[in-house]
Amino acid sequence: MINILIIDDHPIVLEGSKNLFNNIDDMRADTEKNPANIPEIVQKTPYDVYLIDINMPGTNGIDVGATICSLQPEAKIILYTGDQIEDYYSLIVEKKIHGLLSKTVTKERILRTIRSTMDGDIILPWSFVDFVQKLDQPQISKQPLLLNEREKKILQFVVQGYTNSAIALEIDLTPRTVERNLSHIYHLLNVTTRTEAALMAKELKLID
Amino acid sequence: MATTLIPLRSFITLLTLYIAVGSYVLYISYSSPIIGIEVVKQDDRLVIEHFEYPDWAELHEISKGDILIAIDDFSPYKLEHVAPDGIVRSAKTLTVMDATGNNKEIIVLYHELPKAFSHFFILPLIYFLLILSLAIYLYKQKSGNVASLNILIYFLLTVSLAYCSVGASTQLHPVGSIVNSTCLILCLVLLIHFLQKYFAFLRIPWRFNKNIWILYLITVCVFLVSMIEIFNSAFFTLNTIIILLLFVALIFYILIILATSYTRDRSIQLQILFWFIVLPFLPFVIFYVLPELLFQQTILSPSTCAISLLCIPFTFTFMQVTERLFDVDYYVSRIRYYVLFAGGMTVWLMIGIDSFLSISILTNIGIALFIFISIFVLLCVKEKIDYVYRKVLFSTNGNNIHFLYSIIDKVGKEIKMEDLFNTLSDQLMKQLEMNTVYVIHYDMETEQISLANAQSEENRHQLQLTPKDLHQLQVGSIKKFQTFYVACLHRNIKTKYFLILRTNSKIHLKKEELLWLELLLHYIDNFVENTQLVEDLMFELKQAKEGQNYPAWLHKLCWLQLEEVKSQLGQELHDTILQEQIFLIRELDNLLYERDRNLVQQRILQIHQQLITINVQLRLYCEQLKPPLLQTLGLEAALTKLFNQTEQRAHFTLMHSIEPLLIDDNEMSLLIYRLIQEMLNNAITHSKATYVKIELRALSQGFHLFYMDNGVGCHLEDLCLSGTMGIIGMKERVAAYKGTMVIDSYPNEGMQFDITVNKGG
């Protein structure tokens, strides 16, 4: 028998969630809507699995989970949220929780997740693998860096060794405008000179 | 250095001496009129060769070639020593023998010699009296720098004596000669001494002879030599040359002092001093001294030349009384302006008069002089009347306006009463050259006086102010007390604020300064009133902050804002989610009557899907209202989510680098989140950029946020500041945290934001 405590401040969610376990033989669920009572409950009657809502007034599910773990280290904490669960993958990596469940998933998925958690497994969407992969290669933009037409032209002239005034004449702008555009490009590419900008632009294939 | 004025006793003794000597030499001048007859000795007879005053000779029918028999009843033989250079200078009676051999006794009367009379008696007498009153005035007024004032008084008296004794000296009267020679040299020595003191006052270094006593020693020598001359007339010519040489040498010394000082320190005082000395001396040097030394002949008589010298004491008095640069500048510019105006007008009128009337040159000059003086006086009178009745003042350099402007500018920035009074006091001290300026607070009920700005302990002078004085003074009025001025700054029901202005020396504010101060007081009155309102408001807010008791108007404002936001939100929810739910309710209602089980299941699946969509939509609303993750996982996680969401929606490349904040501050995290959210919203909806770069750097007590894109940009004046882009909201948020936000954008050149918020600085 798996004893489950559902912690949520919304009575309607509590009732709906509790009903999920009505006809399940190996599971029994209780509810608690006041997070402040949790330490007392955990000490008096510890549960096997805690399904905790994240957004609660005055506190949040992560902190409540941490409190429970400190009182009952073997407890299984599953965050049960209406938010996108992808946002909380980091908590799994940091071993702060044992599972994540969206409030909109099916009954079957909820039961499966609880059982797996009790067995020491994790059930998560495939997107978790993307998240873990990205941890090793941060800051990779999904889209390649692109310059606008004017910036491209200016950089091409820079590569050819034109001065600002010459570039301004070529593309019918004031030298001041060219200067400002170039300084934007320097800032974008984190460089300080024309040569560096030209080299970097070629390296990043920003110009042909 | 003498820093105190001559004691009254010494001053009276000095004046008595002056009056005694002056009266005596004038008496000599009067008792024996100057006639100036040149004679030559022919066969033991004195033959008249030249008359200084031919009109007088004609009147008495004597002519050149007549023989002088006796002077003042003395035979000429015994009088030879009186005229060693062959000039009979003065006489009471003359006995002359004409060509026919008739003896004629002539009583010399001054009224028959008007020119000599005015030169040797009337003008010196007037000058004597003028200087006497001027010395008394200066002594009583004590204006300007005391050290140079003493010397100036000596100088004035000496010059006057030198001038008064010209008549007696011309007669070769021993006392006259001694007084004249000694005073002539002494006045220049005093002038040098005066310059030394005046330089010290102007803080110009004195690079010349520091031992003035040597010059005084020379004066004593001159006095002794003059004494010797009485007993031995042979010294006469030598003596005259020595004194004249000394005189010229001293004049050159003075000019060198002024010229070299002026090349080092180009102050207007030195420039004026130079011309004040040079101009009056020019006629004396050019027409008398140089010809006498070079050709032993004079072009003009010394008495005529000396007239221009008489201006010197007055110009020096002018310098002394109006000692400050501003004043000199002001007076000179005004006089120049009036002279030009009166001169121009005189020329124009004279052209008119000459073309209608044919009059002699002399009358012409007389009329011109009359017109010139009349116009000049008229302008001065007009200025006085303008000041008294219309509060208008002549001013060419606008100094007062400028200072008024700068004081108001500085005072206007203060938001605390004490700061306001401190700034005002500092500024007035500088502008009016006061030693102490401060503000007192007067409680009209208890009649207590207290300092309103605690500048320093020095300010606690004992003010002899009675409650009556203070009650009577109205806002904007200024009253002079013995050693200080009191001006009423501001009053309310219970209290009055007064400005106290005090100098260590004798205080005297000029009318233009008073008018200026009055105007300033009126401005300050308004400032004080407004500052008091601000202070009250600040106090109310402070109290509210401490006691959590916000003022009613703030409550109202917050509620109104809240209601507006609620109403917007209500409308949006009503238009979207509510409508979709109504649709779902109808669908479910229809399903109740649906018999086909397969269809029911299919419809339920659709409704489930629709509900999930609605749920997502609603979630987005919630996230807009309350940024997700900010409270649970923190700013970085919240921003990462925001960036991910933006990348999904946007067509640009988003580059970002976020440093974790150094301080744990939920409010600041929310501020950053909202700013970035707004920037990205703008970028998505308006920018058409191909890239956006966001950098967040942590500061010790805040952050620095930089944003740039290469989108369409805009003219800062129009689009950016219109309500559509939420830039005003961003600015307000940053301003609320005392941060700075710099926006940089030009059309088609993208946009940049540079935001810095740092609580510590």
Side-chain angles (χ1 to χ4, degrees):
Chain A
M1 176 68 72
I2 303 169
N3 289 314
I4 303 158
L5 181 64
I6 309 166
I7 307 164
D8 199 315
D9 59 311
H10 298 100
I12 189 157
V13 177
L14 279 180
E15 199 189 326
S17 308
K18 191 178 180 236
N19 289 341
L20 288 173
F21 302 99
N22 275 351
N23 302 319
I24 310 300
D25 298 335
D26 60 338
M27 289 184 193
R28 194 184 62 81
D30 286 330
T31 59
E32 176 55 51
K33 67 172 187 176
N34 187 1
N37 296 336
I38 296 301
E40 198 189 330
I41 293 171
V42 173
Q43 278 167 333
K44 217 181 262 176
T45 48
Y47 289 82
D48 302 314
V49 176
Y50 296 87
L51 277 182
I52 313 170
D53 182 28
I54 292 181
N55 289 311
M56 285 185 288
T59 181
N60 64 58
I62 302 163
D63 291 346
V64 174
T67 311
I68 295 169
C69 279
S70 68
L71 295 169
Q72 186 195 341
E74 76 283 1
K76 304 287 183 196
I77 309 292
I78 297 173
L79 286 188
Y80 183 54
T81 176
D83 298 345
Q84 283 179 298
I85 60 167
E86 288 85 349
D87 295 338
Y88 300 97
Y89 283 162
S90 61
L91 296 171
I92 303 252
V93 177
E94 291 163 22
K95 289 189 178 177
K96 285 183 175 167
I97 54 171
H98 303 92
L100 269 168
L101 272 173
S102 167
K103 281 180 181 171
T104 51
V105 293
T106 57
K107 176 180 174 178
E108 187 270 324
R109 174 71 176 259
I110 295 171
L111 299 178
R112 194 146 47 91
T113 301
I114 293 175
R115 286 205 179 96
S116 303
T117 305
M118 280 307 289
D119 292 344
D121 297 331
I122 294 179
I123 293 188
L124 285 172
W126 185 245
S127 60
F128 181 71
V129 181
D130 293 336
F131 173 80
V132 174
Q133 263 188 343
K134 254 170 66 176
L135 283 180
D136 291 338
Q137 309 157 295
Q139 297 297 315
I140 289 183
S141 186
K142 281 168 194 152
Q143 292 182 13
L145 179 58
L146 287 175
L147 300 179
N148 64 24
E149 286 311 309
R150 186 195 279 179
E151 288 170 326
K152 275 187 206 162
K153 274 185 192 167
I154 291 176
L155 264 181
Q156 265 155 358
F157 283 120
V158 168
V159 170
Q160 289 168 38
Y162 278 57
T163 62
N164 285 359
S165 323
I167 298 172
L169 272 177
E170 286 288 338
I171 51 178
D172 198 18
L173 291 171
T174 66
R176 196 78 192 93
T177 308
V178 175
E179 218 171 274
R180 278 198 298 265
N181 270 291
L182 263 179
S183 101
H184 285 197
I185 294 171
Y186 289 174
H187 207 116
L188 176 77
L189 302 176
N190 285 330
V191 296
T192 48
T193 63
R194 308 167 77 83
T195 322
E196 281 180 293
L199 288 173
M200 183 69 88
K202 286 215 153 184
E203 192 187 316
L204 295 176
K205 298 199 170 67
L206 295 177
I207 47 170
D208 309 327
Chain B
M1 184 192 278
T3 47
T4 51
L5 209 59
I6 321 161
L8 185 63
R9 238 188 179 159
S10 314
F11 184 67
I12 290 171
T13 318
L14 190 72
L15 282 193
T16 318
L17 188 70
Y18 169 74
I19 292 168
V21 176
S23 310
Y24 183 62
V25 288
L26 281 172
Y27 168 74
I28 297 166
S29 232
Y30 182 75
S31 62
S32 182
I34 306 287
I35 46 172
I37 298 172
E38 274 181 40
V39 290
V40 282
K41 221 175 190 180
Q42 284 178 359
D43 311 329
D44 274 358
R45 286 176 161 186
L46 294 178
V47 180
I48 296 172
E49 203 182 50
H50 178 73
F51 292 106
E52 180 81 37
Y53 307 106
D55 292 347
W56 172 80
E58 213 170 288
L59 187 76
H60 289 284
E61 293 172 339
I62 46 173
S63 52
K64 289 176 188 172
D66 289 354
I67 294 155
L68 196 59
I69 304 286
I71 303 166
D72 296 350
D73 298 332
F74 293 104
S75 140
Y77 306 112
K78 295 174 187 172
L79 290 169
E80 270 188 29
H81 70 277
V82 177
D85 55 351
I87 298 173
V88 178
R89 288 180 166 77
S90 67
K92 287 171 191 158
T93 57
L94 282 178
T95 312
V96 177
M97 187 172 76
D98 63 12
T100 54
N102 290 334
N103 273 9
K104 199 187 287 177
E105 192 177 319
I106 300 162
I107 300 166
V108 186
L109 294 168
Y110 247 142
H111 70 258
E112 287 169 359
L113 289 156
K115 209 172 154 192
F117 189 49
S118 62
H119 271 177
F120 297 106
F121 186 73
I122 296 294
L123 283 179
L125 179 67
I126 294 171
Y127 196 69
F128 173 79
L129 296 174
L130 268 177
I131 293 292
L132 181 65
S133 27
L134 185 60
I136 295 169
Y137 169 80
L138 283 177
Y139 187 78
K140 281 186 73 179
Q141 201 64 28
K142 296 183 183 74
S143 50
N145 157 37
V146 174
S148 54
L149 181 66
N150 287 340
I151 313 273
L152 181 68
I153 291 174
Y154 298 137
F155 174 67
L156 289 176
L157 298 178
T158 318
V159 169
S160 172
L161 282 184
Y163 182 51
C164 291
S165 62
V166 165
S169 161
T170 309
Q171 294 174 26
L172 298 183
H173 189 282
V175 176
S177 293
I178 294 170
V179 171
N180 190 252
S181 314
T182 317
C183 288
L184 206 58
I185 301 302
L186 182 62
C187 71
L188 290 183
V189 172
L190 283 168
L191 184 54
I192 295 169
H193 200 171
F194 172 80
L195 286 179
Q196 193 193 28
K197 300 282 183 201
Y198 195 71
F199 273 37
F201 170 69
L202 293 179
R203 296 199 176 80
I204 299 171
W206 182 260
R207 294 167 219 272
F208 310 93
N209 176 23
K210 289 199 171 84
N211 302 320
I212 300 286
W213 62 268
I214 295 176
L215 296 174
Y216 284 108
L217 202 67
I218 292 173
T219 317
V220 174
C221 294
V222 168
F223 175 75
L224 293 175
V225 171
S226 307
M227 293 282 274
I228 295 167
E229 189 193 315
I230 297 170
F231 306 107
N232 188 349
S233 59
F235 273 97
F236 175 76
T237 318
L238 181 69
N239 213 356
T240 312
I241 289 174
I242 288 174
I243 289 168
L244 285 180
L245 276 175
L246 263 176
F247 185 79
V248 173
L250 287 173
I251 295 277
F252 274 109
Y253 186 45
I254 291 169
L255 292 183
I256 288 166
I257 290 172
L258 284 172
T260 51
S261 306
Y262 182 67
T263 52
R264 287 206 184 94
D265 183 347
R266 293 183 176 275
S267 76
I268 187 155
Q269 281 102 330
L270 286 182
Q271 197 186 353
I272 288 169
L273 267 177
F274 181 78
W275 287 113
F276 277 179
I277 293 173
V278 169
L279 287 179
F281 271 107
L282 281 181
F284 198 70
V285 174
I286 293 170
F287 300 117
Y288 179 72
V289 180
L290 288 179
E292 173 77 24
L293 288 173
L294 298 175
F295 317 110
Q296 323 278 271
Q297 206 174 0
T298 61
I299 296 167
L300 281 178
S301 70
S303 57
T304 316
C305 296
I307 293 174
S308 61
L309 289 179
L310 305 179
C311 304
I312 295 178
F314 290 105
T315 51
F316 274 84
T317 311
F318 170 74
M319 289 299 291
Q320 173 75 19
V321 174
T322 61
E323 68 195 16
R324 282 182 267 162
L325 175 69
F326 169 75
D327 301 328
V328 174
D329 217 8
Y330 173 74
Y331 282 108
V332 168
S333 64
R334 185 173 52 171
I335 288 169
R336 194 164 47 210
Y337 173 68
Y338 286 174
V339 163
L340 275 176
F341 192 79
M345 203 60 204
T346 308
V347 169
W348 169 247
L349 287 176
M350 286 317 293
I351 291 170
I353 289 169
D354 276 345
S355 54
F356 291 115
L357 304 168
S358 53
I359 40 178
S360 72
I361 295 173
L362 211 65
T363 326
N364 249 327
I365 294 170
I367 294 174
L369 212 61
F370 173 73
I371 292 174
F372 178 81
I373 293 169
S374 305
I375 295 174
F376 188 83
V377 170
L378 184 78
L379 288 172
C380 294
V381 170
K382 181 187 172 292
E383 188 197 306
K384 179 81 186 166
I385 291 172
D386 276 350
Y387 169 68
V388 175
Y389 295 105
R390 296 177 52 209
K391 302 282 184 200
V392 176
L393 267 182
F394 171 90
S395 164
T396 51
N397 53 16
N399 259 356
N400 285 336
I401 303 286
H402 171 74
F403 277 107
L404 188 67
Y405 181 89
S406 69
I407 289 191
I408 286 174
D409 188 47
K410 287 195 177 87
V411 167
K413 285 179 183 144
E414 301 299 350
I415 50 160
K416 275 181 172 171
M417 294 272 275
E418 195 180 328
D419 293 345
L420 189 150
F421 291 147
N422 282 340
T423 311
L424 178 68
S425 305
D426 286 347
Q427 291 297 315
L428 284 177
M429 245 190 286
K430 278 182 205 149
Q431 162 65 0
L432 299 177
E433 294 180 10
M434 293 285 166
N435 290 84
T436 331
V437 177
Y438 57 98
V439 180
I440 56 167
H441 171 279
Y442 173 68
D443 192 316
M444 288 194 280
E445 281 174 0
T446 59
E447 299 185 346
Q448 287 290 311
I449 297 175
S450 57
L451 276 181
N453 62 333
Q455 283 276 31
S456 73
E457 283 301 309
E458 283 174 12
N459 291 344
R460 296 182 185 276
H461 292 290
Q462 281 298 312
L463 296 173
Q464 275 129 24
L465 286 172
T466 60
K468 196 181 158 204
D469 291 331
L470 295 179
H471 268 293
Q472 276 175 353
L473 260 182
Q474 292 306 311
V475 173
S477 51
I478 306 161
K479 194 171 174 188
K480 190 183 174 187
F481 288 84
Q482 271 189 334
T483 55
F484 55 91
Y485 279 89
V486 177
C488 187
L489 263 185
H490 178 72
R491 72 162 288 174
N492 51 36
I493 304 165
K494 283 186 194 161
T495 52
K496 272 186 172 184
Y497 290 94
F498 293 98
L499 191 67
I500 310 290
L501 304 126
R502 181 199 285 275
T503 53
N504 290 341
S505 56
K506 179 96 177 163
I507 184 172
H508 178 67
L509 286 179
K510 289 182 296 304
K511 62 188 179 199
E512 47 270 10
E513 285 173 333
L514 287 172
L515 179 59
W516 177 84
L517 194 59
E518 250 175 57
L519 180 60
L520 181 66
L521 288 177
H522 284 293
Y523 278 112
I524 298 297
D525 180 34
N526 269 328
F527 276 131
V528 173
E529 181 127 17
N530 292 339
T531 311
Q532 248 171 0
L533 278 177
V534 173
E535 264 192 3
D536 290 349
L537 210 58
M538 295 297 285
F539 179 71
E540 216 174 285
L541 278 175
K542 201 179 161 194
Q543 266 196 333
K545 205 176 170 186
E546 282 167 0
Q548 297 298 316
N549 181 21
Y550 292 105
W553 60 265
L554 191 59
H555 269 299
K556 192 178 161 194
L557 186 72
C558 289
W559 281 117
L560 284 175
Q561 291 271 318
L562 214 58
E563 286 301 326
E564 202 183 308
V565 173
K566 276 186 193 172
S567 139
Q568 265 181 13
L569 194 64
Q571 189 63 44
E572 278 180 29
L573 289 175
H574 173 268
D575 293 347
T576 53
I577 289 158
L578 196 71
Q579 301 307 317
E580 285 183 41
Q581 280 189 345
I582 289 169
F583 171 77
L584 288 180
I585 291 165
R586 293 221 176 106
E587 286 286 287
L588 284 169
D589 190 45
N590 284 340
L591 271 186
L592 280 177
Y593 308 101
E594 183 58 59
R595 299 283 170 233
D596 185 344
R597 199 179 152 76
N598 281 339
L599 196 67
V600 169
Q601 209 153 25
Q602 205 185 337
R603 294 293 299 137
I604 287 177
L605 266 176
Q606 278 176 359
I607 290 169
H608 180 255
Q609 201 51 49
Q610 267 175 310
L611 275 170
I612 288 176
T613 314
I614 293 173
N615 190 264
V616 169
Q617 238 179 335
L618 203 54
R619 180 71 50 199
L620 282 175
Y621 269 115
C622 294
E623 286 177 355
Q624 285 280 329
L625 296 173
K626 185 186 169 197
L629 305 186
L630 204 55
Q631 281 182 345
T632 51
L633 294 180
L635 179 66
E636 265 187 277
L639 285 178
T640 308
K641 184 176 167 75
L642 181 65
F643 292 144
N644 288 337
Q645 283 175 340
T646 307
E647 277 175 332
Q648 279 168 13
R649 288 168 63 202
H651 299 292
F652 50 73
T653 314
L654 179 61
M655 306 171 77
H656 50 83
S657 88
I658 307 294
E659 261 184 19
L661 288 190
L662 298 173
I663 47 166
D664 187 19
D665 185 330
N666 287 337
E667 276 185 37
M668 202 165 277
S669 299
L670 182 63
L671 172 69
I672 295 169
Y673 184 88
R674 288 301 191 200
L675 289 171
I676 294 180
Q677 191 179 33
E678 190 61 50
M679 289 168 177
L680 291 175
N681 273 343
N682 283 338
I684 291 171
T685 39
H686 302 289
S687 78
K688 296 183 185 155
T690 67
Y691 62 77
V692 165
K693 187 172 183 178
I694 290 179
E695 288 172 341
L696 178 72
R697 301 268 163 271
L699 300 176
S700 62
Q701 290 292 309
F703 64 91
H704 174 242
L705 179 60
F706 177 78
Y707 165 97
M708 68 179 278
D709 68 38
N710 67 342
V712 290
C714 64
H715 276 299
L716 288 182
E717 305 84 59
D718 32 80
L719 182 65
C720 299
L721 301 178
S722 69
T724 53
M725 294 180 70
I727 288 176
I728 293 172
M730 285 164 68
K731 273 193 155 178
E732 282 173 359
R733 274 177 198 271
V734 173
Y737 286 85
K738 293 184 180 161
T740 55
M741 172 162 162
V742 181
I743 309 168
D744 189 13
S745 183
Y746 291 89
N748 296 319
E749 288 181 43
M751 183 167 287
Q752 294 187 45
F753 295 107
D754 206 306
I755 298 172
T756 309
V757 174
N758 205 1
K759 280 181 186 169

